[in-house]
Amino acid sequence: VRSGTQHLTFLASLVKRPLFLLGFQKGCQTQMFRSAESEVQVISTTISSTQTELQEQATEQLIQQNQDEPEPPGLKDFLQQVEDMVVRELVKNVRSHAFDGFQASWEDHSQRVLLIHSLQHPGAKEKGLHVTSVSWSCTGSVIACAYGRIDNGDWSNEKSCVCTWNLDRRGLHHSQADLVIDVPTAVTALCCHPNQPSLIAGGLYSGEVVIWDTSRTQDSVVAQTGLSADSHRDPVYQVSWVPLQKKGEFGVLSACSGGRVLLWTVGFEQGSFVQKAAYAVLQQQVPHSSSRFKARSNSTVGITSMALSPWDSDTFLVGSEGGLLLRCSFSSQTLAATAFEGQNATLRAPAVFSFRPRSGPVHSIHCSPFHRNLFVSGSTDGLVHLHSLLQASPLLSLRVSDSYIFQVQWSPTRPLVFAAATGKGEVQMFDLSHRSLRAAATIEQGDADQAATCLAFNCQKPHLLAVGKTDGTVNIWQLSADLMEQSPREISQLEKIANQVAE
């Protein structure tokens, strides 16, 4: 009983104590919440309105209002007063020829001839090589230059080269060519392909004809004739691309100082030339009009220049060392009077007409791109002759220089303008529309001891003219506007000259 009583007493004492003795307290803290406020901005709107046309009634009222307004004082009377006088002056202007030949030019062209590039190859300059020929690519961007010698009449084994510069290339180096093609002998003639900008035909002093492809990274030689009985044995002074019967195909026509003119087709896949036709110009078969040249048996005519007619695919012209100037035909069936030793191909005599001979070697011939019967020739006598294919005597003779004339060429844009490169280093530009026979412009090229050996107009960019010199430089000139822009009556003036009868 006591133990039970004690137990109850203990429980009662617990009841009287605070309750916190029977429990416990615990707290917790969460991480701080991060909050942000943002706003959304909507696209602003604008209010626009349209204006409709006036109502018909309002329109009529406006028109009536304008009609009712008085005219400016005296305007109608003034116009009626001067009407007859203005009409008379307008009729006079219609009938007047005061401004015939005037053509407004809205382009900003230079009024002077400017030198814009002077190109040279150090290797050629060190050897003292001359620029023998220049030719523009069909794009008009690349100028090709051949090196050799014009003062060496003996057989030469001196190495030379062909160089090209792209004038549109960024960072053009005047003293470093974009491409240099080494050639084992002097290059005497050069001609770029009329359609393919990477192909160049060349004639060598050794008598070989070569085609180079400037797009090749290794061997640039596409085809080469080599030395054989059927090829040239003398220096090749002229090469030209000739259109063949199949559209788009071209052959190469070459002429040498040995009197032979050879037409080649090119097998690009085989890398070889195939002779298509062969011609020989002999003294005894020259037409009778040049009888002052005594014909000797087996005497060949040394060809120094050649030109193709752009109007007649059957006609070509040749000039000789002895001053002969001949019109020739590809279709001639006359056999050559003699055969060359070892010659396998059949040689034909192409000459069909002879012009009045010159007093020295004919260095250059060029047919007019604007008239089918006109051509010019330049010789060592310092004269340029203007010829008609229909007459033996020249229509006009111009004294260009006291020295040699190495090349003469018509402008591709001006029918009455041609240029001549002289032995004194000058290029004389003649304009036949002028009454005076003096040069319309003279391009001075510095040292008179350095001859201007060759020149070439740029058909794609007619404001450019390339001139090669004996000091190894090729100068690119920018022509003035008056030497490029054709006047309205120029073709009729050229026709009038062509219809003249030679004295």
Side-chain angles (χ1 to χ4, degrees), residues 186-206:
V187 183
T188 49
L190 204 67
C191 186
C192 291
H193 195 281
N195 291 338
Q196 301 184 42
S198 64
L199 296 183
I200 304 174
L204 307 185
Y205 191 84
S206 61

Side-chain angles (χ1 to χ4, degrees), residues 433-450:
S433 65
H434 294 178
R435 294 182 179 179
S436 172
L437 296 182
R438 296 180 180 179
T442 300
I443 300 177
E444 302 279 355
Q445 299 205 108
D447 192 353
D449 295 333
Q450 303 296 334

Side-chain angles (χ1 to χ4, degrees), residues 252-324:
V252 176
L253 187 69
S254 57
C256 74
S257 59
R260 285 195 285 185
V261 179
L262 304 179
L263 179 59
W264 309 88
T265 58
V266 187
F268 289 98
E269 296 180 358
Q270 296 80 13
S272 62
F273 279 104
V274 178
Q275 193 173 110
K276 184 177 178 63
Y279 306 90
V281 183
L282 304 175
Q283 289 279 9
Q284 62 191 34
Q285 290 183 301
V286 167
H288 188 65
S289 58
S290 296
S291 58
R292 76 176 178 89
F293 287 86
K294 294 182 180 180
R296 295 174 295 173
S297 60
N298 300 331
S299 177
T300 59
V301 174
I303 299 174
T304 52
S305 56
M306 179 180 66
L308 296 172
S309 171
W311 303 91
D312 183 1
S313 60
D314 186 57
T315 298
F316 66 98
L317 305 170
V318 296
S320 77
E321 294 174 345
L324 285 175

Side-chain angles (χ1 to χ4, degrees), residues 401 403-406 421-426 447-453 470:
S401 175
S403 182
Y404 293 173
I405 296 176
F406 285 101
T422 71
K424 289 188 175 181
E426 301 173 339
D447 192 353
D449 295 333
Q450 303 296 334
T453 55
T470 52

Side-chain angles (χ1 to χ4, degrees), residues 2-18:
R2 184 179 180 183
S3 60
T5 305
Q6 290 177 349
H7 182 66
L8 293 172
T9 304
F10 175 74
L11 291 175
S13 63
L14 287 178
V15 173
K16 295 178 181 178
R17 293 181 183 181

Side-chain angles (χ1 to χ4, degrees), residues 121-131 147-149 151-152 156-162 180-186 470-472:
H121 176 51
K125 196 171 183 66
E126 290 174 3
K127 296 179 182 179
L129 296 178
H130 307 155
V131 179
Y147 288 94
R149 292 191 181 278
D151 57 358
N152 192 350
S156 173
N157 292 321
E158 186 176 20
K159 295 182 179 180
S160 66
C161 59
V162 172
V180 179
I181 302 173
D182 294 322
V183 185
T185 186
T470 52
D471 63 358

Side-chain angles (χ1 to χ4, degrees), residues 355-427:
F355 302 94
R356 192 174 76 185
R358 305 294 298 269
S359 58
V362 181
H363 279 166
S364 181
I365 311 170
H366 194 230
C367 295
S368 170
F370 294 95
H371 197 285
R372 64 180 300 111
N373 292 330
L374 293 180
F375 69 95
V376 288
S377 65
S379 175
T380 56
D381 56 9
L383 294 173
V384 168
H385 286 180
L386 175 62
H387 299 265
S388 169
L389 290 174
L390 307 178
Q391 302 182 53
S393 298
L395 301 175
L396 186 65
S397 296
L398 299 174
R399 169 62 63 181
V400 174
S401 175
D402 295 332
S403 182
Y404 293 173
I405 296 176
F406 285 101
Q407 189 162 1
V408 60
Q409 192 174 101
W410 289 97
S411 165
T413 57
R414 286 285 314 277
L416 295 174
V417 170
F418 62 85
T422 71
K424 289 188 175 181
E426 301 173 339
V427 173

